[in-house]
């Protein structure tokens, strides 16, 4: 194995198959020997967890649908316009367990808040907790995982507030120690967190601003 592979992360298994997050891409990413395979998750109406970055997908029939509105049977029958079926997290974990080498880790980026313990249950069911890394933009998801006693590393993901220039810097300083609601958004300062956002299932409804 090329030593460089031990330092690489495969983002969404992109580049290993015709479509990111597909079975083909995941299998080939595992076979490649990269150190980490990172996958994004979304949650359906009745709790089915699937691999997908965006909250919406375009179906094979050309319809744009929100994943959070679909039931398990609908999600399992969902295919992209190129015919690639959507992959469930349970199936993805099984593939990783069967094909990954002993040094590989799997990173799960939780895009929908409120379903952290369901993710952990599937990871534990697959016997992969020691090989998992949990990532989320939502601090309450990581707090849930910490409360559940997971041994997996927890990583907070966020937009760099500086991309918003002076406005972003001003907002960050103003909410540094507080929680502020602005319409559908919840702005959380760096010393603030919320456990009460509930099972929203809408990843980008809530914004996280981190000072500095």
């Amino acid at each position: 194995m090329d030593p460089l592979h031990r330092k690489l992360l495969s983002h969404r298994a992109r580049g290993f198959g015709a479509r990111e997050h597909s079975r083909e891409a995941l299998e080939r990413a595992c076979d490649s020997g990269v150190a980490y395979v990172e996958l994004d998750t979304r949650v359906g109406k009745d709790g089915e967890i699937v691999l997908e970055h965006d909250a919406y997908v375009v179906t094979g029939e050309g319809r744009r649908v929100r994943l959070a509105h679909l039931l398990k049977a609908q999600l399992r029958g969902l295919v992209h316009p190129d015919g690639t079926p959507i992959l469930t997290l349970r199936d993805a974990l099984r593939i990783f367990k069967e094909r990954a080498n002993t040094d590989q880790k799997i990173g799960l980026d939780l895009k929908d808040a409120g379903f952290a313990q369901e993710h952990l249950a599937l990871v534990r069911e697959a016997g992969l907790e020691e090989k998992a890394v949990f990532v989320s933009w939502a601090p309450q998801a990581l707090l849930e995982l910490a409360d559940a006693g997971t041994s997996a590393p927890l990583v907070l993901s966020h937009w760099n507030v500086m991309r918003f220039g002076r406005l972003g810097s001003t907002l960050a300083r103003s909410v540094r120690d507080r929680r502020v609601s602005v319409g559908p958004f919840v702005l959380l300062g760096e010393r603030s967190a919320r456990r009460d956002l509930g099972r929203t299932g809408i990843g980008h409804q809530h914004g996280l601003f981190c000072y500095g």
Side-chain angles (χ1 to χ4, degrees), residues 174-189:
S174 70
V175 301
R176 189 175 185 185
D177 298 290
R178 298 185 296 128
R179 298 187 298 270
V180 179
S181 296
V182 182
F185 297 96
V186 177
L187 309 184
L188 301 172

Side-chain angles (χ1 to χ4, degrees), residues 191-209:
R191 292 195 285 261
S192 177
R194 289 187 64 155
R195 296 171 183 259
D196 60 341
L197 294 180
R199 303 171 68 90
T200 65
I202 306 171
H204 295 289
Q205 182 177 5
H206 306 288
L208 170 67
F209 286 84

Side-chain angles (χ1 to χ4, degrees), residues 57-193:
V57 297
V58 177
T59 70
E61 297 80 35
R63 295 184 298 110
R64 186 171 182 265
V65 296
R66 191 180 191 93
L67 292 170
H69 294 168
L70 300 181
L71 297 171
K72 181 182 297 187
Q74 295 171 303
L75 285 169
R76 293 194 172 186
L78 192 63
V79 296
H80 293 284
D82 62 4
T84 305
I86 200 165
L87 196 61
T88 67
L89 177 58
R90 178 177 269 111
D91 288 341
L93 292 172
R94 183 172 64 249
I95 293 168
F96 182 84
K97 185 172 184 177
E98 291 173 352
R99 301 184 76 117
N101 65 56
T102 55
D103 296 323
Q104 280 179 317
K105 300 281 189 179
I106 184 168
L108 299 180
D109 190 342
L110 283 60
K111 297 297 185 185
D112 289 334
F115 299 89
Q117 294 196 46
E118 287 82 349
H119 283 74
L120 180 58
L122 288 175
V123 167
R124 286 176 169 171
E125 177 186 295
L128 290 173
E129 189 169 6
E130 295 307 311
K131 298 178 75 65
V133 176
F134 291 105
V135 181
S136 184
W137 64 271
Q140 72 272 19
L142 302 181
L143 288 168
E144 281 186 42
L145 291 166
D147 288 343
T150 183
S151 59
L154 306 175
V155 181
L156 181 65
S157 171
H158 69 278
W159 276 3
N160 186 337
V161 71
M162 297 313 292
R163 69 180 289 183
F164 297 100
R166 185 174 297 176
L167 171 62
S169 181
T170 301
L171 279 170
R173 287 185 175 89
S174 70
V175 301
R176 189 175 185 185
D177 298 290
R178 298 185 296 128
R179 298 187 298 270
V180 179
S181 296
V182 182
F185 297 96
V186 177
L187 309 184
L188 301 172
E190 68 170 339
R191 292 195 285 261
S192 177

